[in-house]
Amino acid sequence: MIKKILLLFVISLMSFSTIGEEPVERIGLKGPLVFNKTNFSLAWTAHPNENYYVQEYLPENETVERFNQLLTVHVFTMDVSVDSAIEQKVKELNKRKETDKVCNFSIMKSPDGKESIIDCLLSSGSTDKVDIVEFIIYRYKQIELKNNKKALLIYAYSKRSYDDKITPFFKNLKTDRIELLSMMTSAQMPTILIKE
């Protein structure tokens, strides 16, 4: 059951997002959120099943169809350990490596063992040309909701590049990665309040 639900959380380069609908805020994070010295406003939300909430936030003038930066908050309202979720994500990324030659990832665990971070690099395109590259940092933490109910919170930051800007993106990634990981490690995790 847990694996089936976590499989809904398959990260690909294509966001869940769709155009046109006003986002419905469900987890107590209307925003704007701040990351990388940038304000991110709520752009899209979903509640695809009773145990899963996702909300996406974009900088001004960026769209869900073509963005450069994105913040995403995933909440699984069930007792899932960070280690189990990380194990599932590693399986997913290893599978992706079979078809994505750019795919790579690393894992860090907090000193107290209560949180973990996965950062990964993904790409999309045709067999002979990469059109999109995306660097993503996922920060995992088990949290407690009302009535002592446990949940898994995943706070994610994505940075994308397209077409002829991909080469400079790769050149800057070594420095950018260190800075962004430092920001994510020191960021305050969002406080979640599920609206029932």
Side-chain angles (χ1 to χ4, degrees):
M1 175 68 172
I2 289 174
K3 283 191 177 181
K4 282 183 183 174
I5 291 168
L6 286 177
L7 282 173
L8 289 172
F9 175 55
V10 173
I11 298 304
S12 68
L13 287 172
M14 297 307 124
S15 164
F16 283 108
S17 305
T18 53
I19 316 172
E21 295 177 21
E22 188 68 28
V24 178
E25 201 292 303
R26 296 179 178 93
I27 60 172
L29 286 177
K30 186 172 182 178
L33 305 180
V34 179
F35 189 86
N36 193 21
K37 299 176 185 170
T38 304
N39 285 333
F40 291 77
S41 298
L42 186 62
W44 179 84
T45 69
H47 181 33
N49 67 53
E50 63 178 328
N51 296 311
Y52 180 42
Y53 298 82
V54 58
Q55 296 193 175
E56 293 181 343
Y57 303 80
L58 288 169
E60 192 175 1
N61 299 323
E62 295 203 15
T63 66
V64 293
E65 293 74 38
R66 192 175 174 93
F67 61 83
N68 292 303
Q69 297 185 88
L70 172 74
L71 278 178
T72 310
V73 179
H74 304 268
V75 182
F76 295 90
T77 56
M78 61 181 72
D79 188 358
V80 181
S81 73
V82 167
D83 288 345
S84 295
I86 291 286
E87 184 181 323
Q88 182 67 33
K89 176 53 70 181
V90 166
K91 284 180 185 173
E92 176 193 315
L93 289 169
N94 279 328
K95 180 77 175 162
R96 187 182 180 106
K97 278 185 173 186
E98 295 171 12
T99 55
D100 182 352
K101 60 187 176 187
V102 170
C103 183
N104 201 359
F105 65 92
S106 66
I107 304 167
M108 296 187 307
K109 202 167 195 170
S110 64
D112 64 6
K114 293 182 178 177
E115 295 185 31
S116 286
I117 288 178
I118 289 184
D119 69 292
C120 61
L121 187 62
L122 308 174
S123 71
S124 178
S126 59
T127 52
D128 58 342
K129 186 174 182 284
V130 171
D131 302 313
I132 305 170
V133 291
E134 185 169 6
F135 173 67
I136 313 171
I137 305 171
Y138 301 101
R139 184 172 165 191
Y140 293 70
K141 182 178 183 179
Q142 193 175 63
I143 60 170
E144 212 167 85
L145 301 173
K146 292 187 298 186
N147 304 325
N148 301 319
K149 189 175 181 181
K150 288 186 178 178
L152 180 70
L153 170 62
I154 304 169
Y155 188 38
Y157 170 80
S158 302
K159 186 170 185 170
R160 268 192 191 179
S161 191
Y162 303 84
D163 304 317
D164 58 345
K165 294 183 179 172
I166 288 175
T167 299
F169 178 88
F170 279 131
K171 284 182 182 172
N172 295 328
L173 187 58
K174 191 172 185 181
T175 304
D176 289 350
R177 177 181 178 266
I178 293 165
E179 291 175 359
L180 292 167
L181 280 169
S182 177
M183 282 182 225
M184 181 57 87
T185 303
S186 60
Q188 185 172 341
M189 288 291 265
T191 301
I192 303 301
L193 180 63
I194 302 291
K195 297 176 179 177
E196 296 176 11

